[in-house]
Amino acid sequence: MSGAWRLYWGADNTAQATSTDDIDAVLDRIAAAGAYIVDVTAAGDDDAGVQIGVGHPDRATVLIFDDDGGYAYQPELPAWPEPIDFDYGGQSTSYPPSRTRITPANARHTIRTYLTTGNAPTPIHLDQET
């Protein structure tokens, strides 16, 4: 999955990236502006990629959308006590605690690993009951 990626967030925002460092830089800018869900897909292929929730100081959400994907979570991390709202396509959307059992740092690591190898990193589990 390495190469060129397209990022989508908010009502109509897009960016291009050619490396995971570029993706991190775009995600940093988005997170600084608020809590957003960002789709990251290979340029020209919107059917496989990741969705990441950024902008919350302690939690994130990651959805890998391919045949073997699912929501990423850290089994040792307890559920957040309440839903977390992210802007998804210009609409405030609540994500339940079961979907935010990943730290921002591990969420970033997960998407970097997936986008370059096609697999989630070993300590991260995927809940395929989406």
Side-chain angles (χ1 to χ4, degrees):
M1 282 200 101
S2 61
W5 295 281
R6 191 167 183 91
L7 290 80
Y8 305 89
W9 72 99
D12 59 2
N13 301 296
T14 63
Q16 299 282 1
T18 58
S19 70
T20 55
D21 288 341
D22 291 348
I23 291 170
D24 275 332
V26 173
L27 292 176
D28 286 344
R29 288 194 325 264
I30 297 168
Y36 286 90
I37 296 294
V38 182
D39 289 339
V40 183
T41 61
D45 181 9
D46 290 341
D47 292 331
V50 297
Q51 191 176 76
I52 182 171
V54 299
H56 188 276
D58 300 306
R59 294 299 175 99
T61 186
V62 173
L63 173 62
I64 295 175
F65 48 96
D66 67 13
D67 292 339
D68 297 319
Y71 279 93
Y73 69 97
Q74 296 171 243
E76 76 285 356
L77 190 64
W80 194 251
E82 59 194 12
I84 297 173
D85 291 339
F86 292 95
D87 177 308
Y88 180 45
Q91 301 291 318
S92 180
T93 304
S94 291
Y95 281 72
S98 63
R99 299 292 183 236
T100 59
R101 284 185 59 197
I102 191 165
T103 64
N106 277 325
R108 295 283 189 102
H109 176 66
T110 298
I111 71 161
R112 280 191 302 272
T113 301
Y114 176 77
L115 291 172
T116 56
T117 69
N119 298 301
T122 305
I124 300 298
H125 292 246
L126 295 177
D127 176 1
Q128 296 176 331
E129 299 295 321
T130 58

